[in-house]
Amino acid sequence: MKFTLLALILSCWSVQSSELITFNPSTSIEMVNFSGYKITDFYITPDNRILTFDQDNSKFNDERFDVVVKTDIPKTKAFMYQVTLVKNISTCKPMSGSSAQKIENFMTLQLDGNAFTAPLNSVDVDSFQYSDNDNFLWDKRVLIMSSDTIDKRGLNCSGEVTLVIGLSL
């Protein structure tokens, strides 16, 4: 009786097919439209600043910048975002007639107290802090720029900081 029942079950699962179908699914996901929400504005204020040099301490004074992010996300939603430092370049070149040496990468950054180094160092922000009059989320974070000691005089200094921002799901 047991052998008959087993044979009956096996014969129920036995299926033969004369056709073979191959199915190759493919898709593409456009991350920009994935959540339906987007960043509507992103800027650093002030966007251009001439740093002051402290002769007594042989370095540039720390500077504070605000990183502002605006979205079309309703205040009833919870979202995170990520700020990525792509570039932090600082260079001092000797002015004509100066015997000073070129100095590079002497500026450091912190975003809300977190060390921020390039290339591609990211800081995850857990939530937006504010909503505007239209009830859309926005945020403001503090970026601090600090200088290492610079022992040389007769230098012409410049720099560039590039940030990229993206919503996190």
Side-chain angles (χ1 to χ4, degrees):
M1 180 101 166
K2 289 183 184 178
F3 292 110
T4 308
L5 182 60
L6 182 58
L8 181 60
I9 291 174
L10 288 177
S11 67
C12 290
W13 288 98
S14 175
V15 177
Q16 293 186 358
S17 174
S18 60
E19 292 183 33
L20 179 64
I21 298 174
T22 303
F23 178 61
N24 295 316
S26 67
T27 187
S28 63
I29 298 173
E30 190 173 331
M31 293 303 288
V32 172
N33 297 322
F34 193 66
S35 72
Y37 301 112
K38 64 182 179 274
I39 294 168
T40 57
D41 203 2
F42 169 53
Y43 57 91
I44 298 172
T45 182
D47 61 352
N48 193 3
R49 182 177 280 172
I50 295 175
L51 304 180
T52 55
F53 192 76
D54 181 346
Q55 295 286 347
D56 295 334
N57 293 314
S58 297
K59 63 185 236 170
F60 289 98
N61 290 324
D62 289 358
E63 292 290 340
R64 174 198 161 116
F65 299 86
D66 290 329
V67 178
V68 179
V69 182
K70 296 184 178 184
T71 73
D72 65 355
I73 302 169
K75 74 176 187 177
T76 57
K77 302 286 182 181
F79 263 82
M80 295 172 46
Y81 68 95
Q82 187 175 69
V83 182
T84 302
L85 177 62
V86 177
K87 187 188 300 183
N88 178 16
I89 297 173
S90 50
T91 304
C92 288
K93 297 178 182 177
M95 295 180 357
S96 62
S98 171
S99 62
Q101 299 292 318
K102 182 178 181 179
I103 302 170
E104 294 182 307
N105 302 321
F106 54 88
M107 298 300 287
T108 57
L109 301 173
Q110 288 187 348
L111 183 67
D112 279 354
N114 297 303
F116 212 28
T117 57
L120 300 178
N121 180 250
S122 297
V123 173
D124 293 320
V125 181
D126 292 337
S127 62
F128 289 86
Q129 298 178 24
Y130 311 102
S131 62
D132 62 15
N133 292 338
D134 295 325
N135 291 318
F136 293 127
L137 294 176
W138 71 280
D139 205 12
K140 179 171 66 173
R141 300 295 168 156
V142 176
L143 180 72
I144 302 291
M145 182 179 287
S146 301
S147 169
D148 294 339
T149 302
I150 300 172
D151 294 328
K152 308 292 181 195
R153 301 208 190 280
L155 296 168
N156 183 12
C157 302
S158 63
E160 180 181 349
V161 173
T162 303
L163 302 176
V164 173
I165 193 155
L167 294 175
S168 299
L169 299 177

